[in-house]
């Protein structure tokens, strides 16, 4: 759900798991805290103490849910998985908060999932026809039902059987009474990394979640790989037919934290490289380079260093704009972007400014930021964007507006410039973005990444989201938050 002051794409989720540490639930809460940027609507942990599973799943930020006054206290045991959620698929309701848990023949299974299944609606309809009763509207429950119905043994094979039936993007962690399992879809669209803390194995969406608990980064879980962790160690399985790797390139542009190491690259370094590419591709005479904070900062630094134009923090971000203003009244709606960003008049007055941001989605925020910088006295405002124009929606676990609402779908670059009222507007080229991640250029016959929101070249056949899903069967239930 995008707020009125929020004109970004949003990753839907972050996942975390620990196997074999006495503080597993607390470590999971810390790991989720480091992954908070991947989802702010809800957080959940399922732990196993050797006898029973316990679960806490709530709407809210990790600190609110699992902070000192929170729900962590009764979670016990050496194994745990957790999830932070920012959702479109399945809606924002308490029953969809992950990890989901079910008692299957053979024992309990908890799953937390980042991504989106493109055939979830079809699978769900078939399962319901066969008598399955769904408790939630999330894709993850489809995986649980498919696992429950598999006739294979043990549970890892049942999960593989289930995953062979799903299509789309997923990075998941699953917990049984004996195993922690991590898996990525064959294209490897969403990230999942493996770490160690003493003798405990850790799984996380990003390596920044290892740093907070002092864990060591071991490696990325590979596309199409399942890692099965038990007291005997880690087993790597490659159960799926090999596919070309198509990691989400937007993870480097915006989703991942800059201090994360993802698919062998440091996210901050990639963002600086994009800024340098932009300076090379779209130079401009100016007095200062100003990032739109926070996401535009590394690319602006790269632009400033490459161009020799001084870097200035000409815009300050208020980090405390939160849920209070998610549904503002009409009376304060006109304050708009100023709730989140404020221009430093003292620095900007009389200056030619290059603004750098990560992307333009609807363009509404960009327009207001240009206006704000002009109002602060800037002589010229040039906008540079650290991604190619976002022309298509994402179907792989990212909250995107309908294609018709994307500014780059509606207008040419000149039309976009006029809309946001900048003196000039330029986006990094597709090849420039690929150079920034270390490739020579984009291979148009076999792109090295998923870049579908910039190109429309979808690695996995997209299916329109099921808009009715949130209204289905359980909609009369009262939501306990
Ligand atoms: S469509 Fe864009 S946001 Fe979605 S997975 Fe592909 S690159 Fe990432």
């Amino acid at each position: 759900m995008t707020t009125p002051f929020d004109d970004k794409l949003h990753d839907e989720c972050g996942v975390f798991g620990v196997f074999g540490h006495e503080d597993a639930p607390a470590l999971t809460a810390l790991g989720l805290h480091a992954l908070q940027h991947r989802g702010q609507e809800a957080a959940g942990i399922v732990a196993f103490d050797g006898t029973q599973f316990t679960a806490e799943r709530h709407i809210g930020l990790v600190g609110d849910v699992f902070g000192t006054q929170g729900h962590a206290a009764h979670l016990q045991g050496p194994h745990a998985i957790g999830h932070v959620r920012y959702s479109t698929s399945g809606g924002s309701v308490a029953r969809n908060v992950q990890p989901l848990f079910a008692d299957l023949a053979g024992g309990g299974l908890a799953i937390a999932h980042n991504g989106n299944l493109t055939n979830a609606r079809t699978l769900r309809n078939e399962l319901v026809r066969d008598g399955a009763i769904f408790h939630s509207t999330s894709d993850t429950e489809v995986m649980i039902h498919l696992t429950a119905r598999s006739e294979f043994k043990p549970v890892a094979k049942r999960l593989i059987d289930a995953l062979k039936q799903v299509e789309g993007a997923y990075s998941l962690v699953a917990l049984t009474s004996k195993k922690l399992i991590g898996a990525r879809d064959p294209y490897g669209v969403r990230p999942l990394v493996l770490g160690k803390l003493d003798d405990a194995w850790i799984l996380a969406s990003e390596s920044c979640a290892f740093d907070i608990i002092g864990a060591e980064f071991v490696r990325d879980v590979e596309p199409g790989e399942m890692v099965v962790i038990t007291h005997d160690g880690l087993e790597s399985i490659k159960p799926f037919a090999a596919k070309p790797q198509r990691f989400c390139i937007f993870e480097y542009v915006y989703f991942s934290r800059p201090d994360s190491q993802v698919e062998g690259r440091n996210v901050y370094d990639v963002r600086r490289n994009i800024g340098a590419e932009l300076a090379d591709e779209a130079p401009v005479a100016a007095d200062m380079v100003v990032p739109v904070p926070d996401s535009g900062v590394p690319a602006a630094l790269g632009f400033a260093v490459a161009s020799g134009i001084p870097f200035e923090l000409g815009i300050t971000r208020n980090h405390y704009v939160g849920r209070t203003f998610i549904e503002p009244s009409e009376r304060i709606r006109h304050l708009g972007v100023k709730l989140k960003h404020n221009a430093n008049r003292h620095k900007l007055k009389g200056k030619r400014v290059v603004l750098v941001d990560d992307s333009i989605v609807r363009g509404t925020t960009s327009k207001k930021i240009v206006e704000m910088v002009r109002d602060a006295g800037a002589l010229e405002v040039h906008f540079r964007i650290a991604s190619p124009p976002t022309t298509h929606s994402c179907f792989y676990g990212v909250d995107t507006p309908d294609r018709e609402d994307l500014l780059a779908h509606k207008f040419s670059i000149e039309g976009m410039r006029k809309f946001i009222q900048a003196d000039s507007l330029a986006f990094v080229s597709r090849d420039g973005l690929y150079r920034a991640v270390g490739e020579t250029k984009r291979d148009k016959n076999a792109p090295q990444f998923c870049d579908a929101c910039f190109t429309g070249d979808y690695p996995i056949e997209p299916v329109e989201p099921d808009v009715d899903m949130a209204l289905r069967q359980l909609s009369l239930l009262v939501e306990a938050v």
Side-chain angles (χ1 to χ4, degrees):
M1 180 179 64
T2 304
T3 72
F5 308 128
D6 190 1
D7 189 19
K8 297 285 183 192
L9 301 188
H10 286 279
D11 208 316
E12 266 191 33
C13 303
V15 298
F16 191 87
V18 180
F19 190 87
H21 196 288
E22 59 183 347
D23 297 322
L27 294 174
T28 304
L30 286 168
L32 294 182
H33 182 69
L35 297 173
Q36 186 77 85
H37 59 288
R38 298 185 76 85
Q40 298 93 45
E41 286 195 354
I45 295 176
V46 171
F48 182 69
D49 66 2
T51 307
Q52 64 177 8
F53 289 89
T54 45
E56 289 287 357
R57 305 178 300 148
H58 300 272
I59 304 285
L61 296 171
V62 177
D64 297 335
V65 173
F66 295 113
T68 48
Q69 303 300 317
H71 299 276
H74 92 275
L75 294 166
Q76 301 290 332
H79 316 311
I81 62 170
H83 189 260
V84 285
R85 175 179 174 83
Y86 184 106
S87 175
T88 51
S89 172
S92 166
V93 289
R95 64 174 179 266
N96 285 328
V97 180
Q98 298 189 35
L100 296 188
F101 175 82
D103 265 320
L104 313 185
L109 173 70
I111 297 186
H113 160 225
N114 171 210
N116 197 53
L117 305 184
T118 51
N119 66 340
R121 180 181 183 175
T122 309
L123 290 171
R124 184 186 169 105
N125 287 345
E126 288 168 3
L127 286 161
V128 169
R129 264 199 305 275
D130 284 355
I133 296 170
F134 277 77
H135 176 71
S136 76
T137 53
S138 90
D139 291 1
T140 316
E141 197 173 1
V142 172
M143 292 183 186
I144 287 184
H145 276 283
L146 293 173
T147 308
R149 283 159 189 248
S150 171
E151 292 177 356
F152 287 89
K153 280 183 182 166
V155 71
K157 286 197 175 151
R158 297 170 75 180
L159 187 55
I160 289 168
D161 187 29
L163 294 178
K164 283 183 174 171
Q165 299 171 63
V166 307
E167 290 163 12
Y170 57 83
S171 279
L172 64 84
V173 293
L175 184 66
T176 73
S177 60
K178 297 194 181 82
K179 297 181 173 84
L180 171 66
I181 298 171
R184 282 178 80 192
D185 71 76
Y187 294 91
V189 177
R190 305 255 74 88
L192 188 65
V193 288
L194 179 69
K196 278 212 101 172
L197 177 63
D198 305 323
D199 292 331
W201 288 100
I202 316 288
L203 288 164
S205 292
E206 291 179 40
S207 66
C208 64
F210 296 159
D211 299 337
I212 195 171
I213 60 169
E216 165 200 350
F217 174 85
V218 175
R219 65 175 175 85
D220 293 273
V221 175
E222 293 175 24
E225 181 184 16
M226 176 179 280
V227 290
V228 180
I229 297 161
T230 66
H231 286 299
D232 296 329
L234 180 144
E235 182 189 7
S236 166
I237 308 170
K238 295 278 184 62
F240 311 111
K243 301 279 186 190
Q245 294 197 16
R246 300 292 292 272
F247 182 64
C248 167
I249 205 162
F250 218 111
E251 290 280 351
Y252 292 115
V253 171
Y254 178 70
F255 300 141
S256 290
R257 244 173 60 164
D259 51 340
S260 282
Q261 196 74 11
V262 185
E263 289 284 297
R265 300 169 188 86
N266 178 263
V267 175
Y268 174 78
D269 284 348
V270 171
R271 288 182 191 165
R272 278 194 65 145
N273 294 345
I274 299 173
E277 290 288 341
L278 257 175
D280 194 40
E281 292 183 343
V284 59
D287 301 310
M288 61 175 65
V289 177
V290 172
V292 178
D294 293 326
S295 50
V297 172
L301 261 175
F303 192 108
V305 170
S307 65
I309 301 170
F311 174 92
E312 295 285 0
L313 292 173
I315 297 174
T316 298
R317 178 177 165 192
N318 183 338
H319 288 93
Y320 306 100
V321 177
R323 306 183 73 82
T324 324
F325 290 113
I326 279 176
E327 308 233 9
S329 68
E330 280 303 320
R331 273 188 301 134
I332 64 165
R333 198 183 285 274
H334 73 278
L335 294 174
V337 73
K338 288 184 179 169
L339 285 171
K340 194 166 174 185
H341 292 113
N342 190 33
N344 186 337
R345 289 175 179 277
H346 171 72
K347 291 297 325 164
L348 297 172
K349 191 164 181 213
K351 296 294 193 300
R352 297 168 301 166
V353 175
V354 185
L355 286 176
V356 180
D357 204 354
D358 60 273
S359 58
I360 293 182
V361 182
R362 291 184 182 84
T364 46
T365 299
S366 306
K367 183 182 169 92
K368 285 174 183 161
I369 283 177
V370 171
E371 185 186 342
M372 184 176 73
V373 171
R374 277 201 206 283
D375 286 350
L379 286 182
E380 296 172 16
V381 183
H382 302 275
F383 222 136
R384 296 293 178 269
I385 306 300
S387 59
T390 305
T391 49
H392 290 71
S393 299
C394 175
F395 298 96
Y396 310 136
V398 171
D399 181 21
T400 347
D402 290 340
R403 197 171 171 214
E404 289 63 38
D405 294 329
L406 296 170
L407 197 67
H409 174 67
K410 294 195 279 195
F411 296 120
S412 65
I413 291 180
E414 174 57 13
M416 295 171 79
R417 184 199 68 74
K418 282 188 182 144
F419 178 84
I420 66 170
Q421 296 179 356
D423 292 289
S424 73
L425 170 66
F427 295 77
V428 75
S429 67
R430 292 175 188 174
D431 283 340
L433 177 58
Y434 273 70
R435 283 193 296 273
V437 295
E439 302 286 342
T440 321
K441 61 179 197 167
R442 180 180 191 267
D443 180 344
K444 63 179 180 357
N445 297 318
Q448 303 92 318
F449 292 86
C450 178
D451 53 18
C453 47
F454 309 129
T455 62
D457 184 349
Y458 291 96
I460 308 161
E461 177 102 4
V463 176
E464 287 301 317
D466 182 354
V467 290
D468 297 331
M469 190 66 90
L471 303 175
R472 288 210 181 162
Q473 54 185 12
L474 295 176
S475 56
L476 296 178
L477 289 187
V478 174
E479 292 300 334
V481 178

